[in-house]
């Protein structure tokens, strides 16, 4: 087959030039792929035996977008615009033949083709928004022209991958091929276009779908309102909307200029840098340096969960959702019934929102088998303990499990802070013991910390990663230390937030600063939500901490209508003068000097110790890489993705500045700010840890 370059071939069959790209893993538009497309189309145009051209890909997918690894590098070879011009202006019809995913630049290339054919399993989308970008190769101007402004707004601001049949219905795809027959059907479609003398359709010239929305400002203002809550803080969704507005209201070429200008703003800004970093971090986190790809995996076809409380219930749902049967053990029938009824209610709520059917509710409930005897856990492949956070209780349970569970079963604890090695030592099979730390609500939160004990086998780690993927969690492998990675870093922020309210910052000042930074909620609103009385005992309470004072005053959080804040009947919070007075009194009694504290200082005090703790975690080997820490914080604790996570953010601020600040804070405020020696080394030796 004639080769165009190392990733492209061109073959002529029945007058149809088949231009095939083969650039694993995802046929991204690298310089090679652009060159292959450019030269391939050019050759086909110049070949008199060719009447039409099909662009098709080998491997798992059609072109999945621009090559993100090339961003920021000096451009090489033909630009994407040149390639698109060549395709769009071809005097012979060009057809994109799509399987897998036509995403970003890939769909933008397909949109310059005159026709598109796809297999039913294919998906199309413009997911640039998830990288903090907008489609920068004409996609913002062509998509609205082919599917209309409203649909383009949805696709571009959500980044969703739209199934081929829906693309067909909205006119984005012209023809559906039979599954597995793409090349054959694409050639037939190309021949039909030629024989019927169909026109060379240029999407850029279409106007019927956008005509009616010219000057329709309400369309855009309503849309902005509808996505406000989800997109708070992100720049890219708004810029995507502005591009669609330009597509509707301006001639194509002028719209393209708007697209280019806004694309460059996003591309050179820190938000997109953070979001692109997180894209790769998310793929990196599953790679464990000392665990080879070939590591044998244990099959997980059945699961046992101990404890049907807050966590056990949510954990069980994850497995039932993917068809894995779960046996859930409680200490009494009453607690079991309560736990199971909460699970049912959760499923019914999801069904009421139309996300699953009522049959699915029953199917999933049928997969959850409640029992009150731990002896029932003799056959399951994976056991997850989720009883109260009490070391003696957990040790006792693992001792029992050692005697009950089948050989080779994985024995996991959902402990949030206890020593997994100590728990493992209760068994005669510590190599099978691991921490699987889910986050609440466990059926919703994406993050899973996989806590690797000193003796946990590679097979058990690899199998845990595989099962995490199966239940659609993003898993980070962490080491055994108090609080692991996530809660250990959280403790730093909590400590400083608690201190700050005794130095003069009010709870809402701190919450507002962190909310404005991009967290969904500040620590005091969070405490009110969880309940201030968790772990508080009325009989031992002696007004020693501010929490004692608030709980003694009946301020238990949202559930009692007041905590750090006061709540109305719709649970909307407001600052409360009574709390301010309680705090001031508490401070005065302890002769604490109150002062004005700026938002900037609040952020430094809360965030810089977290970065420092991240360095300590890396130094101790409790996280494999800095980006794993950022995955934990962006997926489990609401750190805004556009700020990249604590380690990325530290770099953005400048690790040298963070270090200097910590040194001063250590002098002025105390030893808890002592910089990590690893941070000092990274700054001194300018080591790149990201
Ligand atoms: N550029 C470079 N590498 C890419 C890439 C891209 N656009 N998309 C995926 N990769 C790499 C991944 O990093 C990964 O590498 P690794 O194996 O070394 O870790 C490998 O391809 C496989 O990726 P996944 O593990 O994600 O594979 P999946 O099969 O699960 O998913 C996918 C495939 C749906 C294509 C997914 O990779 C994806 O969503 N990719 C990004 C798509 C995207 O955002 N495209 C828009 C890019 S920006 C753009 O086009 C700008 C334009 O408008 C000018
Ligand atoms: P919970 O109190 O809601 O549930 C614990 C359940 O375990 C109770 O229903 C209890 O009856 C049951 N139980 C106790 N002893 C038992 C036994 N011997 N046999 C069977 N069942 C028994 O507690 P929650 O919040 O679900 O926490 C469970 C574990 O998960 C703890 O280790 C906790 O630290 C951890 N965790 C909790 C998170 C949270 O946000 N609640 C987050 C992540 C981890």
């Amino acid at each position: 087959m004639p080769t165009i370059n190392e990733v492209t071939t061109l073959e002529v069959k029945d007058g149809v030039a088949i231009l095939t790209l083969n650039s694993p893993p995802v046929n991204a538009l690298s310089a090679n792929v652009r060159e292959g497309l450019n030269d391939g189309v050019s050759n086909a145009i110049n070949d008199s035996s060719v009447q039409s051209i099909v662009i098709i890909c080998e491997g798992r997918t059609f072109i999945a977008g621009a090559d993100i690894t090339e961003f920021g590098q000096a451009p090489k070879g033909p630009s994407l615009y040149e390639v698109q011009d060549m395709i769009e202006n071809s005097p012979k019809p060009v057809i994109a033949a799509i399987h897998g995913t036509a995403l970003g630049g890939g769909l933008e290339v397909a949109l310059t083709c005159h026709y598109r054919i796809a297999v039913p399993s294919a998906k199309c989308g413009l997911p640039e928004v998830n990288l903090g970008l907008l489609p920068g190769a004409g996609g913002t101007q062509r998509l609205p022209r082919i599917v209309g402004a409203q649909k383009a707004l949805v696709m571009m601001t959500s980044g969703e991958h739209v199934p081929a049949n829906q693309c067909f219905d909205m006119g984005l795809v012209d023809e559906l091929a039979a599954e597995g027959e793409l090349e054959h059907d694409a050639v037939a479609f190309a021949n039909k276009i030629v024989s019927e003398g169909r026109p060379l359709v240029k999407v850029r010239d279409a106007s019927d779908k956008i005509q009616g929305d010219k000057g329709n400002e309400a369309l855009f203002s309503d849309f902005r309102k509808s996505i406000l809550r989800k997109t708070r803080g992100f720049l890219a969704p708004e810029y995507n909307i502005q591009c669609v507005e330009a597509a509707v209201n301006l001639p194509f070429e002028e719209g393209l200029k708007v697209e280019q200008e806004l694309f460059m703003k996003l591309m050179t800004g820190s938000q997109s840098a953070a979001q692109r970093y997180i894209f790769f971090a998310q793929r990196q986190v599953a790679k464990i340096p000392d665990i080879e790809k070939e590591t044998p995996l244990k099959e997980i076809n059945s699961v046992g969960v101990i404890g049907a409380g807050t966590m056990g219930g949510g954990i069980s749902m994850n497995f039932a959702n993917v068809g894995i049967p779960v046996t859930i053990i409680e200490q009494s029938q009453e607690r079991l019934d309560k736990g199971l009824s909460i699970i049912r209610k959760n499923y019914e709520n999801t069904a009421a929102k139309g996300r699953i059917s009522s049959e699915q509710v029953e199917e999933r409930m049928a997969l959850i088998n409640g029992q009150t005897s731990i002896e029932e856990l003799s056959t399951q492949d994976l056991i997850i303990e989720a009883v109260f956070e009490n070391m003696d209780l957990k040790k006792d349970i693992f001792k029992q499990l050692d005697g009950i569970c089948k050989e080779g079963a994985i024995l996991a604890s959902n402990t949030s802070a206890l020593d997994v090695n100590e728990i493992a030592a209760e068994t005669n099979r510590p190599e099978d013991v691991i921490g699987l730390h889910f986050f609440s609500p466990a059926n919703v939160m994406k993050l899973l910390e996989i806590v690797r004990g000193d003796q946990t086998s590679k097979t058990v780690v690899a199998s845990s990663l595989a099962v995490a993927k199966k239940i659609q969690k993003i898993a980070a492998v962490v080491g055994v230390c108090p609080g692991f990675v996530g809660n250990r870093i959280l403790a730093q922020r909590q400590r400083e937030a608690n201190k700050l309210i005794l130095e003069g910052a009010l709870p809402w000042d701190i919450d507002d600063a962190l909310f404005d930074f991009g967290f969904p909620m500040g620590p005091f609103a969070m405490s009110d939500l969880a309940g201030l009385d968790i772990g508080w005992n009325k009989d031992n309470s002696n007004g020693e901490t501010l929490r004692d004072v608030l709980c003694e005053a009946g301020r238990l959080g949202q559930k009692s209508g007041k905590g750090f804040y006061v709540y109305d009947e719709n649970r909307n919070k407001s600052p409360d003068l009574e709390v301010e007075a309680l705090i001031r009194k508490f401070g005065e009694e302890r002769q604490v000097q109150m002062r004005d504290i700026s938002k900037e200082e609040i952020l430094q005090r809360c965030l810089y110790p977290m970065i420092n703790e991240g360095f300590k975690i890396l130094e101790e080997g409790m996280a494999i890489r800095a980006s794993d820490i950022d995955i934990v914080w962006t997926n489990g604790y609401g750190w805004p993705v556009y700020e990249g996570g604590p380690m990325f953010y530290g770099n953005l601020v400048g690790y040298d500045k963070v270090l200097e600040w910590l040194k001063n804070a250590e002098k002025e405020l105390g030893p808890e700010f002592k910089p990590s020696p690893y941070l000092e080394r990274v700054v001194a030796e300018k080591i790149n840890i990201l």
Side-chain angles (χ1 to χ4, degrees):
M1 203 179 292
T3 302
I4 298 290
N5 67 7
E6 59 196 84
V7 298
T8 323
T9 56
L10 185 70
E11 188 190 9
V12 183
K13 269 191 204 165
D14 293 341
V16 182
I18 304 169
L19 184 88
T20 306
L21 298 169
N22 187 8
S23 179
V26 295
N27 291 308
L29 288 159
S30 60
N32 261 346
V33 170
R34 294 195 305 273
E35 181 192 73
L37 274 170
N38 199 59
D39 296 355
V41 173
S42 162
N43 285 5
I45 291 172
N46 294 328
D47 182 339
S48 57
S49 72
V50 169
Q51 291 178 303
S52 61
I53 304 162
V54 166
I55 299 175
I56 194 165
C57 293
E58 290 279 356
R60 66 217 238 203
T61 181
F62 189 75
I63 305 165
D67 187 337
I68 311 170
T69 58
E70 277 187 359
F71 286 178
Q73 291 177 14
K76 269 197 293 185
S79 74
L80 191 49
Y81 278 138
E82 286 172 86
V83 174
Q84 289 178 303
D85 281 348
M86 166 84 72
I87 295 171
E88 201 165 46
N89 296 324
S90 158
K92 302 174 181 176
V94 185
I95 295 106
I98 301 170
H99 78 292
T101 42
L103 299 177
L107 182 58
E108 292 176 291
V109 166
L111 281 169
T112 53
C113 294
H114 306 110
Y115 295 92
R116 285 150 297 281
I117 179 170
V119 286
S121 61
K123 290 183 175 164
C124 297
L126 292 177
E128 283 87 344
V129 70
N130 296 326
L131 299 171
L133 293 172
L134 51 86
T140 68
Q141 303 306 296
R142 289 191 179 88
L143 187 69
R145 284 177 162 78
I146 196 164
V147 301
Q150 178 69 34
K151 289 198 176 84
L153 285 169
V154 174
M155 279 179 73
M156 286 162 52
T157 56
S158 69
E160 68 180 323
H161 300 180
V162 181
N165 55 359
Q166 285 179 36
C167 294
F168 179 73
D169 289 343
M170 61 169 95
L172 183 53
V173 161
D174 304 286
E175 187 92 351
L176 289 174
E179 204 65 57
E181 298 293 332
L182 184 59
E183 185 180 310
H184 173 272
D185 289 1
V187 168
F189 183 47
N191 280 328
K192 192 161 101 176
I193 289 164
V194 173
S195 65
E196 290 178 2
R198 290 208 208 169
L200 296 173
V201 180
K202 289 188 184 176
V203 176
R204 61 186 286 154
D205 295 336
S207 63
D208 53 322
K209 292 231 172 118
I210 48 172
Q211 201 63 39
D213 285 327
K214 255 193 199 339
N216 182 356
E217 282 171 26
L219 168 71
F220 296 98
S221 57
D222 290 352
F223 187 78
R224 283 189 170 93
K225 271 186 228 142
S226 74
I227 60 163
L228 202 60
R229 214 171 61 88
K230 268 200 198 147
T231 58
R232 183 178 71 91
F234 287 90
L235 284 177
E238 169 56 27
Y239 284 20
N240 271 278
I241 297 173
Q242 288 179 22
C243 286
V244 180
E245 266 178 317
V248 168
N249 295 317
L250 300 175
F252 183 81
E253 289 297 339
E254 281 181 47
L256 267 192
K257 281 187 201 143
V258 173
E259 175 186 284
Q260 267 316 291
E261 190 189 322
L262 296 180
F263 180 83
M264 284 320 291
K265 274 193 188 167
L266 290 174
M267 184 60 130
T268 50
S270 67
Q271 286 205 354
S272 175
Q275 289 177 257
R276 280 179 276 141
Y277 158 80
I278 289 291
F279 175 85
F280 287 113
Q282 209 131 305
R283 278 149 186 83
Q284 192 77 2
V285 71
K287 295 172 187 155
I288 314 303
D290 68 326
I291 298 187
E292 306 74 29
K293 260 194 179 158
E294 303 72 35
T295 305
L297 298 180
K298 288 174 188 270
E299 274 200 33
I300 312 286
N301 295 318
S302 58
V303 171
V305 172
I306 312 172
T310 311
M311 295 307 289
I315 292 170
S316 302
M317 291 172 76
N318 287 308
F319 294 98
N321 292 349
V322 296
I324 298 179
V326 184
T327 303
I328 184 163
I329 309 291
E330 251 299 341
Q331 49 182 341
S332 71
Q333 189 63 44
E334 196 191 340
R335 282 180 180 260
L336 179 61
D337 292 343
K338 187 174 166 213
L340 291 174
S341 72
I342 293 172
I343 296 177
R344 173 171 283 282
K345 206 163 148 214
N346 276 335
Y347 278 137
E348 283 171 353
N349 286 342
T350 313
K353 287 180 195 145
R355 295 205 200 118
I356 56 173
S357 66
S358 45
E359 291 79 50
Q360 282 172 308
V361 174
E362 297 312 322
E363 275 164 28
R364 292 178 194 193
M365 284 310 294
L367 284 169
I368 302 177
N369 163 28
Q371 293 290 342
T372 51
S373 165
I374 197 169
E375 302 285 334
E376 299 289 332
L377 299 182
S378 60
T379 59
Q380 289 76 358
D381 301 318
L382 163 67
I383 314 293
I384 304 174
E385 164 279 309
V387 302
F388 306 127
E389 186 79 338
N390 173 312
M391 185 52 116
D392 290 339
L393 176 61
K394 295 205 191 257
K395 278 184 174 176
D396 179 50
I397 292 207
F398 273 77
K399 202 173 206 148
Q400 291 186 56
L401 289 176
D402 195 22
I404 296 167
C405 297
K406 70 174 185 188
E407 199 183 315
I410 299 178
L411 309 183
S413 172
N414 181 48
T415 177
S416 22
L418 297 176
D419 185 337
V420 174
N421 292 327
E422 205 178 322
I423 296 173
E426 288 300 306
T427 70
N428 290 311
R429 37 173 135 174
E431 68 281 6
D432 289 336
V433 177
I434 195 161
L436 291 182
H437 182 211
F438 289 79
F439 289 72
S440 181
N443 54 317
V444 177
M445 294 295 290
K446 280 284 189 215
L447 180 65
L448 179 68
E449 278 184 330
I450 295 184
V451 188
R452 183 177 187 175
D454 291 347
Q455 296 192 56
T456 311
S457 73
K458 290 183 181 182
T459 287
V460 167
V461 176
S463 306
S464 300
L465 279 162
V467 83
K469 194 166 180 195
K470 177 141 201 198
I471 60 172
Q472 289 146 28
K473 298 289 175 200
I474 295 169
V477 175
V478 301
V480 178
C481 59
F484 313 127
V485 166
N487 284 345
R488 178 169 162 180
I489 291 179
L490 177 67
Q492 296 292 317
R493 189 182 84 178
Q494 197 62 44
R495 185 196 63 225
E496 288 311 306
N498 288 340
K499 275 162 53 187
L500 279 166
I501 52 174
L502 296 180
E503 293 174 29
L506 289 161
W508 30 95
D509 297 333
I510 296 165
D511 280 357
D512 286 353
L514 290 165
F515 180 81
D516 291 346
F517 180 78
F519 283 100
M521 203 182 266
F524 298 103
M526 182 60 96
S527 298
D528 273 1
L529 181 65
L532 298 187
D533 57 336
I534 291 185
W536 175 76
N537 188 331
K538 197 173 169 191
D539 300 330
N540 305 338
S541 184
N542 51 14
E544 225 168 61
T545 64
L546 189 59
R547 181 175 72 162
D548 285 350
V549 173
L550 292 171
C551 287
E552 283 166 23
R555 307 190 69 108
L556 306 181
Q558 279 198 22
K559 60 183 163 191
S560 63
K562 52 187 184 170
F564 283 102
Y565 294 85
V566 63
Y567 294 84
D568 68 15
E569 58 282 8
N570 298 320
R571 299 209 163 188
N572 292 318
K573 63 178 185 335
S574 319
D576 194 352
L577 284 176
E578 192 185 315
V579 170
E580 193 172 335
L582 284 173
I583 293 173
R584 298 221 183 273
K585 183 160 169 274
F586 187 88
E588 274 160 22
E589 283 166 6
R590 283 154 187 80
Q591 291 164 350
V592 189
Q593 197 71 41
M594 298 277 190
R595 62 192 172 89
D596 280 340
I597 302 181
S598 70
K599 191 167 161 177
E600 190 192 0
E601 186 179 345
I602 291 172
L603 285 181
Q604 289 169 335
R605 280 281 293 276
C606 289
L607 303 183
Y608 290 6
M610 297 169 76
I611 299 165
N612 196 29
E613 197 64 28
F615 276 98
K616 291 181 190 167
I617 285 170
L618 288 173
E619 190 167 26
E620 293 167 26
M622 294 298 151
I624 296 168
R625 20 179 128 68
S627 62
D628 287 8
I629 297 177
D630 288 339
I631 286 300
V632 167
W633 265 78
T634 47
N635 288 289
Y637 297 82
W639 188 292
V641 175
Y642 57 78
E643 299 281 11
M647 306 314 284
F648 182 90
Y649 178 71
N651 187 47
L652 208 60
V653 172
Y655 291 140
D656 52 343
K657 292 207 177 70
V658 175
L659 175 62
E660 195 185 316
W661 184 92
L662 286 165
K663 282 182 177 165
N664 286 333
E666 185 190 6
K667 267 188 236 139
E668 286 169 23
L669 299 164
E672 62 271 37
F673 295 96
K674 185 175 168 40
S676 140
Y678 184 45
L679 168 60
E680 302 219 36
R681 194 152 73 78
V682 164
V683 171
E685 297 174 22
K686 295 193 168 60
I687 302 170
N688 179 7
I689 63 159
L690 295 179

